[in-house]
Amino acid sequence: MTFELDLLATPEAVPELRHRLAAHCHEVRLCVTELLTNVIDHLGAGTPVTVRVTGTPHGSARVEVTDPDARALPVLRAAAETAESGRGLLLVDALAQRWGVDRGPDHKTVWCELAGAAGHDFDTAPNAPGTVASTTADTALSW
């Protein structure tokens, strides 16, 4: 089953998303938060995104964040010791079995897979009965 949520990327939506993913492990919530924060940092607040968390046939959880800009690709790089940001993708890289980017003509999906994190019943996640849960345009998130 799949948890799927359409949102606008704003910092105020992060706590709400974490709440909706409460049935999932800390690693899933952390990766979703980091990927969403990247949307705000690199594309700007108000960018529409779709967040998905699914189980894989191999028992992993797959986290996906889709946004409408196929050109702005994430880059894994080291943050300076004194930098206050720039470690999100490093965290995703450290936690995930693998991660990547799927590009379409008018969107991209940044995804990661987390070993053993799919042991949750996706049917019990808030607003995730295997169908899409959409929010209104004033709901926000960060990539």
Side-chain angles (χ1 to χ4, degrees), residues 70-124:
R71 296 170 291 130
L73 299 177
V75 176
L76 185 63
R77 59 181 151 207
E81 248 182 70
T82 58
E84 293 183 16
S85 64
R87 292 176 182 81
L89 201 51
L90 288 171
L91 287 170
V92 171
D93 185 62
L95 291 171
Q97 288 178 297
R98 62 191 194 127
W99 68 273
V101 180
D102 295 332
R103 291 172 59 184
D106 61 352
H107 70 279
K108 74 172 168 300
T109 300
V110 181
W111 57 268
C112 66
E113 292 182 2
L114 301 152
H120 301 280
D121 181 358
F122 287 93
D123 282 334
T124 63

Side-chain angles (χ1 to χ4, degrees), residues 2-3 5 9 18 30 34 44 52 70 77-78 83 87 113 115 119 130 134 138 140:
T2 300
F3 169 92
L5 189 62
R18 285 184 187 147
L30 179 60
E34 295 304 332
R52 264 177 239 87
R77 59 181 151 207
R87 292 176 182 81
E113 292 182 2
S134 295
D138 61 348

Side-chain angles (χ1 to χ4, degrees), residues 9-45:
T10 66
E12 298 81 10
V14 173
E16 176 64 24
L17 180 61
R18 285 184 187 147
H19 174 74
R20 290 181 185 223
L21 290 171
H24 298 283
C25 69
H26 174 73
E27 289 81 2
V28 165
R29 294 189 314 267
L30 179 60
C31 286
V32 166
T33 298
E34 295 304 332
L35 294 177
L36 289 169
T37 299
N38 283 340
V39 171
I40 289 179
D41 290 348
H42 300 287
L43 300 182

Side-chain angles (χ1 to χ4, degrees), residues 49-50 60 90 94 111 117:
V49 297
T50 300
S60 298
L90 288 171
W111 57 268

